[in-house]
Amino acid sequence: MAQEEINKAVSGEYNLGFEIDIETDVVPPGLNEDTIRFISKKKEEPEWMLELRLKALKKWQQMTEPTWGHVEYEPIDYQSISYFAAPKKGPESLDEVDPKILEAYKKLGIPLEEQKQLAGVAVDAVVDSVSVKTTYTEELNKHGVIFCSISEAIRDYPELIKKYMFSVVPMTDNFFAALNSAVFTDGTFVYIPKGVRCPMELSTYFRINALNTGQFERTLIVADEGSYVSYNEGCSAPTRDENQLHAAVVELVAMKDAEIKYSTIQNWYPGDENGKGGIYNFVTKRGICAGDNAKISWTQVETGSSITWKYPSCILKGDNSVGEFYSVAVTTLAQQADTGTKMIHLGKNTSSTIISKGISAMKGQNTYRGLVKIGANADGARNYSECDSLLIGDRCGAHTFPYLESKDTKGQVEHEATTSKISDEQLFYLRQRGINEEDAVSMIVHGFCKEVFSQLPMEYAVEAKALLELTLEGSVG
Amino acid sequence: MKTLEIENVHANIGEKEILRGLNLALEPGKVHAIMGPNGAGKSTLSKTIVGHYDVEVTEGDIRYKGKSILDMEPEERALEGIFLSFQHPVEIPGVNNAYFLRMAVNAKRKHEGKEELNAAEFLREMKKYLEMLGMKADMISRSLNEGFSGGEKKRNEILQMLMLQPDVIILDEIDSGLDIDALRAVSEGINMMKDGKRSFLVITHYSRILDYIKPDYIHVLKEGRIIKTAGSELVAQLEEEGYESIEEEA
Ligand SMILES: Nc1ncnc2c1ncn2[C@@H]1O[C@H](COP(=O)(O)OP(=O)(O)OP(=O)(O)O)[C@@H](O)[C@H]1O
Ligand SMILES: [Mg+2]
C-alpha cells in the first residue's frame, strides 16, 4: 500500500499540546553552587540536605555525559537551563488551585474534581516542580501511609530520607542521576508501614510547564515488611519549541514480603517530524528487593519524548525475590527511544520476567537494551525475557541488545525476540472485512501490546490504550 | 439488473498484465463457478474486485449494483456488501478472533444505520454458526487465524461470511484443503446464504464442491480472460479433457 497512507495513519498531531500560563518563580539559567543554595533555600531545606546537594554537584562536575545510548541529539548546554520554577500562588485547598491548572487536567481527561470521587485515587499533582495538591491524605494517614512531596518529607521525615535516599541510586550512579541529586526540585515520597496494604492506588501526574525549565523530580517509595503499594505515574506536556531536559530519579525499596507495583504512562511532547522541540527524557529508575520474598514490578507505556533513555531496574537481593518489567515503547515521527531494564540477581531462587514491546513508525528508532546479571550466590535464579518489535512502514527501526552476565551455572535464562511488521496483507484482510485502516492498525497494535496492558491497573490500561490510539493514528481520514 | 459487471478489465500486478480484457457479469441469485489453470488470473480477478493494493486496473470498469467501484476504498466495497474469502487467509497474531469479527459486524451495521450488537447479542448470533461449521469454541477465542490449520482457516472465512451477510460473495478455493465433513459443512453454509438475490463467484479446481452448491454457470478463465461460459455440464468435460480442449468462444 502507499507509504503516505501509512504515514498519515501514524502521524497523529500531538493531542495534548497546550500550555498553561501560570506565573512562575524562575531562577535565572545556569548551574553552580549558588543555584543549589537558591533551590535548597526555596525549599526550606535543612543544612544536611544542602550539603548532600553540593556534594552531588561536585561529583557531577567531574563526570561526562554518557554517549553509548543508541540515540542522537544536539549537545545539551547545562548552563542555559533554569533549574527552578514554582507557581507563585501556594493554594491550600482545591478551590485555590489555579483554574487554568484544573482546566489543563480537564483537557488531559483527568480532572482533579472527578478524581476525588473516583474509586480511591489519591493525587499528588506536581505542576512545575512543586506539589500543588495532595488529596486523600487523611484516609492514608489512618493506615499510617506517608504520601507527600519529597520536599515535605525532607522536612518532616528526615530519618527515613537519610536512610533511603541515594540508597538505591547513589548520587554518583550516572551523569544524569548526579545532576538530579544536585538540583532535584520536587517529587514524591511514599512510605508504607509494616503489614499495610495501601488502601488505594497512589498516583502523581507530572506536567512540565515553564518554558526552558529542566525537570528534576525525585521519587522515593519504601514498602516496609509485608506491605503492598501500587503507584501510578503519568505525564503529558505542552507543545513548545525549546528542547527540554528531564532527568528524574526513582528509587524503590521493598523489604521482606513487600510488593511494589510501579506503573508509568509517559506522554511528553515528542517533537515534530524532524525531532524538533521534543522533550529529552533521561531517567534513572531502580528498585531493590531488599528482603526475602519481596517483589517489584515496573510497567511502562512510553509514547512521548523526542529522546528517551530509561532502564527501570531491579536488584533482587532477598532470596526468592521477584522482579518484573513490562514495557511498551512507541516511537513515531523522529522519536528515539533507548530503553530496557536490568535485572540483577543476587539472592537465591530469585526470578525475573522481562516483556518488552517496541513499536516503531515513520522515522522512529526503538532500541531495547537489557541486562540480566546472575551473581555468584544466586543459586536457582531464573529469568525469562521476551522482546518483540513491531514495525509500521519501512523508514523506522528496531534494535535489540540483550546482555547476559552469569556467574552461576545453575541459573536459568530464556530469551525470545521477534520482529514483525504490520504487513499490507494483514491490513488488507481487515479492510476487506469493512474495518477502516485506522482501526485496523490500532487493532494490530493493541493485540501486540496486550500482555503489557494487562499488567496496568484497569483505568490506567484504558488510558494507555487511548493514548496509543492518539499517538499512532490521529489523522487518518 | 446484474449485481456485478466486469467489463473489459485489464489489470496489472507490477509490470505484468494479468487480466487481459476480462468480461463477466454476475446475476442476482445465481452461483457462478470459475475454473481455470494455475496462474490464469483467478485470484487476481478476485483481488481486483475487492480493490487489493497489488492490482492496478489499466482499462475497463467494474460496476456493483450499477455503480463503478474502481475509485472506492477496499473497506467501502466491503461495507457495501462485497465479500472475499481469501485463498490464503492471513494470520494476525494478537488480534482476538471474536473481537475482530464483532468489530467487522458492527462496522457493517453502523454503515447500514443499524444498532451495533453488544457482546451478548453477538455471541448468540455467532453460536448458531459455530456448531454448524463444526468449529471448536477455542477457535473463536484465539488470535485471528494464528496457527489455524488450512481447513480451520477456511471455516473461519465462512463464519465471517455468515455473520456479515454480504450481497456478492467471492470464494477463492474455499474447498482446497477441506476434509469431507468440512466440505459438507462449508457447502451447507454457502447454501444457507442463497436467497434468490445474492450472487456467488466460486473459484475452484474440483467438481466435488460444485456437486453440493450446484452452480448455475461455469466460466473458464484462461490467460486473463473468460474464454467459455456454459452450464454445469461443462465440469464433466473439463475433468475428462482438461483446459487444453477449451477453445475461446467468439
Ligand atoms: N504479487 C505478485 N507479484 C508478482 N506476480 C504475481 C503476484 N500475484 C500474482 N502474480 C502472478 O499473476 C499470475 C496470476 O496469478 P493468480 O494468483 O491470479 O492465479 P490463479 O489463477 O489464482 O492460480 P491458482 O489456481 O494457482 O490459484 C501468476 O502468474 C502469478 O505468478
Ligand atoms: Mg488463486
Side-chain angles (χ1 to χ4, degrees):
Chain A
M1 73 187 279
Q3 186 61 38
E4 302 98 81
E5 279 180 65
I6 299 180
N7 291 349
K8 245 180 20 190
V10 298
S11 71
E13 282 226 341
Y14 187 65
N15 286 281
L16 303 174
F18 52 88
E19 209 168 303
I20 317 171
D21 171 28
I22 316 167
E23 288 177 85
T24 47
D25 184 358
V26 185
V27 69
L31 182 52
N32 52 43
E33 283 202 11
D34 291 343
T35 327
I36 306 296
R37 286 179 200 282
F38 175 89
I39 293 169
S40 193
K41 189 150 180 235
K42 269 275 178 200
K43 310 298 293 181
E44 296 164 37
E45 284 176 358
E47 190 62 25
W48 59 266
M49 193 69 234
L50 173 62
E51 267 154 32
L52 286 171
R53 285 177 182 277
L54 290 171
K55 194 168 138 197
L57 177 70
K58 277 221 179 67
K59 300 276 188 195
W60 178 72
Q61 285 164 338
Q62 292 154 14
M63 296 168 93
T64 47
E65 203 172 326
T67 53
W68 48 267
H70 199 95
V71 295
E72 278 170 39
Y73 55 94
E74 293 283 307
I76 300 164
D77 178 1
Y78 293 92
Q79 297 303 333
S80 71
I81 294 170
S82 169
Y83 288 86
F84 184 80
K88 268 182 181 156
K89 289 180 230 158
E92 312 223 310
S93 79
L94 203 58
D95 312 334
E96 284 178 39
V97 173
D98 191 322
K100 282 182 187 158
I101 297 179
L102 297 179
E103 182 60 33
Y105 281 121
K106 277 200 191 102
K107 285 192 198 173
L108 286 167
I110 42 161
L112 270 184
E113 262 132 349
E114 209 172 276
Q115 279 183 11
K116 276 172 77 179
Q117 296 148 23
L118 274 173
V121 176
V123 177
D124 175 19
V126 177
V127 171
D128 259 18
S129 322
V130 165
S131 296
V132 175
K133 190 65 211 157
T134 304
T135 47
Y136 275 106
T137 331
E138 272 173 39
E139 170 71 8
L140 294 172
N141 281 347
K142 262 203 324 222
H143 293 83
V145 171
I146 303 170
F147 178 45
C148 64
S149 76
I150 201 97
S151 308
E152 282 172 77
I154 289 168
R155 291 194 298 269
D156 300 344
Y157 309 101
E159 295 318 311
L160 287 171
I161 296 293
K162 282 184 196 169
K163 186 164 175 194
Y164 293 112
M165 190 185 271
F166 309 116
S167 76
V168 191
V169 180
M171 57 171 69
T172 53
D173 188 80
N174 66 69
F175 182 82
F176 297 109
L179 178 64
N180 175 288
S181 303
V183 304
F184 71 92
T185 41
D186 215 327
T188 306
F189 176 67
V190 177
Y191 175 79
I192 315 290
K194 269 185 200 169
V196 170
R197 194 179 163 88
C198 186
M200 60 190 74
E201 301 268 338
L202 301 180
S203 80
T204 305
Y205 288 93
F206 291 90
R207 286 186 54 78
I208 299 180
N209 195 41
L211 201 67
N212 242 348
T213 309
Q215 281 277 297
F216 303 96
E217 306 292 343
R218 185 136 200 137
T219 301
L220 173 60
I221 299 177
V222 179
D224 216 328
E225 285 183 18
S227 69
Y228 169 86
V229 63
S230 166
Y231 184 87
N232 304 329
E233 166 202 48
C235 316
S236 90
T239 305
R240 60 181 62 254
D241 278 321
E242 262 25 68
N243 278 312
Q244 275 192 309
L245 175 64
H246 189 98
V249 171
V250 177
E251 294 177 283
L252 308 183
V253 181
M255 313 297 273
K256 185 168 175 286
D257 300 318
E259 178 176 349
I260 302 175
K261 198 171 158 58
Y262 193 104
S263 310
T264 305
I265 293 183
Q266 190 270 107
N267 180 28
W268 287 334
Y269 183 56
D272 62 17
E273 63 271 27
N274 298 312
K276 192 169 181 294
I279 305 268
Y280 291 1
N281 187 25
F282 301 106
V283 184
T284 307
K285 288 184 163 177
R286 193 175 303 152
I288 182 164
C289 289
D292 295 352
N293 312 313
K295 179 174 173 184
I296 290 179
S297 302
W298 298 100
T299 305
Q300 58 176 31
V301 176
E302 305 269 332
T303 66
S305 297
S306 87
I307 294 178
T308 303
W309 181 96
K310 180 175 175 183
Y311 316 92
S313 306
C314 298
I315 301 169
L316 304 171
K317 187 167 164 238
D319 291 347
N320 310 312
S321 60
V322 177
E324 293 175 339
F325 174 76
Y326 298 96
S327 168
V328 169
V330 184
T331 52
T332 78
L333 304 163
Q335 283 176 281
Q336 307 172 57
D338 192 311
T339 71
T341 185
K342 291 179 201 159
M343 292 292 173
I344 316 289
H345 292 255
L346 302 177
K348 293 190 189 4
N349 299 316
T350 46
S351 72
S352 60
T353 304
I354 298 171
I355 309 283
S356 162
K357 304 275 179 180
I359 302 170
S360 314
M362 301 184 73
K363 290 191 279 175
Q365 291 294 326
N366 222 319
T367 301
Y368 169 81
R369 200 182 291 281
L371 170 70
V372 176
K373 191 169 176 172
I374 299 187
N377 299 318
D379 290 343
R382 291 184 310 280
N383 164 266
Y384 174 74
S385 301
E386 186 185 314
C387 308
D388 299 321
S389 306
L390 183 67
L391 305 178
I392 307 176
D394 47 23
R395 289 186 299 158
C396 52
H399 318 270
T400 304
F401 302 102
Y403 304 97
L404 169 68
E405 279 176 38
S406 178
K407 297 207 171 91
D408 170 34
T409 46
K410 282 168 275 176
Q412 191 189 326
V413 175
E414 258 179 88
H415 181 87
E416 283 177 24
T418 64
T419 298
S420 51
K421 224 178 141 156
I422 294 191
S423 72
D424 289 352
E425 288 305 323
Q426 289 173 330
L427 283 182
F428 188 79
Y429 187 91
L430 298 175
R431 293 179 75 186
Q432 211 302 303
R433 298 302 184 248
I435 295 166
N436 68 41
E437 183 160 58
E438 209 174 89
D439 290 342
V441 170
S442 105
M443 236 174 171
I444 296 174
V445 167
H446 287 162
F448 179 73
C449 300
K450 213 156 48 185
E451 278 167 282
V452 175
F453 285 175
S454 68
Q455 294 297 322
L456 289 168
M458 252 279 266
E459 285 182 21
Y460 230 45
V462 172
E463 219 179 291
K465 261 178 133 166
L467 184 57
L468 226 64
E469 245 152 58
L470 290 178
T471 311
L472 285 172
E473 60 199 13
S475 61
V476 167
Chain B
M1 192 175 56
K2 313 281 187 200
T3 36
L4 195 77
E5 290 166 280
I6 300 164
E7 198 180 275
N8 187 34
V9 163
H10 291 253
N12 292 357
I13 292 184
E15 295 294 292
K16 197 168 146 202
E17 187 175 72
I18 311 291
L19 302 185
R20 306 172 186 179
L22 189 142
N23 291 291
L24 179 67
L26 302 189
E27 294 172 12
K30 301 289 187 209
V31 176
H32 298 251
I34 291 198
M35 302 184 83
N38 294 130
K42 301 181 298 297
S43 294
T44 305
L45 171 63
S46 63
K47 285 178 173 178
T48 308
I49 298 168
V50 295
H52 194 281
Y53 327 110
D54 285 349
V55 184
E56 186 200 355
V57 175
T58 55
E59 206 185 319
D61 199 7
I62 301 179
R63 283 184 300 275
Y64 172 60
K65 296 180 180 169
K67 276 195 317 206
S68 174
I69 56 169
L70 288 181
D71 289 332
M72 280 163 71
E73 294 292 329
E75 56 267 39
E76 285 178 73
R77 300 184 200 198
L79 292 170
E80 287 291 326
I82 301 176
F83 177 91
L84 168 62
S85 161
F86 289 85
Q87 183 174 356
H88 305 288
V90 67
E91 303 194 0
I92 310 188
V95 172
N96 176 277
N97 198 12
Y99 176 79
F100 147 75
L101 188 50
R102 192 171 141 223
M103 283 276 285
V105 166
N106 280 338
K108 181 132 193 278
R109 292 181 69 94
K110 203 168 149 205
H111 183 76
E112 291 165 350
K114 293 187 196 150
E115 289 268 314
E116 295 189 4
L117 292 185
N118 66 31
E121 292 165 334
F122 169 80
L123 283 175
R124 206 175 312 126
E125 190 75 6
M126 189 179 60
K127 275 222 179 97
K128 290 198 299 202
Y129 301 125
L130 281 181
E131 204 176 324
M132 189 198 101
L133 292 171
M135 285 174 73
K136 285 179 241 118
D138 87 298
M139 276 178 57
I140 202 71
S141 56
R142 275 160 63 181
S143 287
L144 179 49
N145 292 330
E146 192 185 24
F148 283 24
S149 74
E152 287 170 341
K153 283 180 183 163
K154 295 298 168 80
R155 288 184 224 211
N156 202 35
E157 296 287 287
I158 293 301
L159 174 67
Q160 292 170 25
M161 173 195 77
L162 290 165
M163 291 297 289
L164 290 166
Q165 301 276 306
D167 297 333
V168 164
I169 294 166
I170 307 162
L171 304 165
D172 193 353
E173 298 200 21
I174 189 66
D175 52 335
S176 295
L178 291 187
D179 65 36
I180 298 156
D181 293 337
L183 183 68
R184 193 177 296 127
V186 159
S187 303
E188 198 184 319
I190 296 166
N191 287 335
M192 266 175 77
M193 295 292 285
K194 291 185 187 168
D195 66 349
K197 290 192 223 95
R198 289 193 175 97
S199 301
F200 296 79
L201 187 63
V202 183
I203 297 169
T204 183
H205 290 294
Y206 309 105
S207 60
R208 252 188 348 170
I209 188 167
L210 300 177
D211 295 340
Y212 284 111
I213 61 176
K214 310 251 180 295
D216 298 285
Y217 301 101
I218 308 290
H219 308 276
V220 178
L221 198 165
K222 204 173 159 188
E223 288 162 7
R225 304 156 70 94
I226 300 292
I227 58 163
K228 188 180 177 74
T229 294
S232 55
E233 70 285 351
L234 182 61
V235 181
Q237 188 198 329
L238 288 173
E239 295 228 306
E240 196 85 348
E241 302 167 25
Y243 295 111
E244 288 298 313
S245 69
I246 307 294
E247 294 287 320
E248 180 156 5
E249 291 169 336

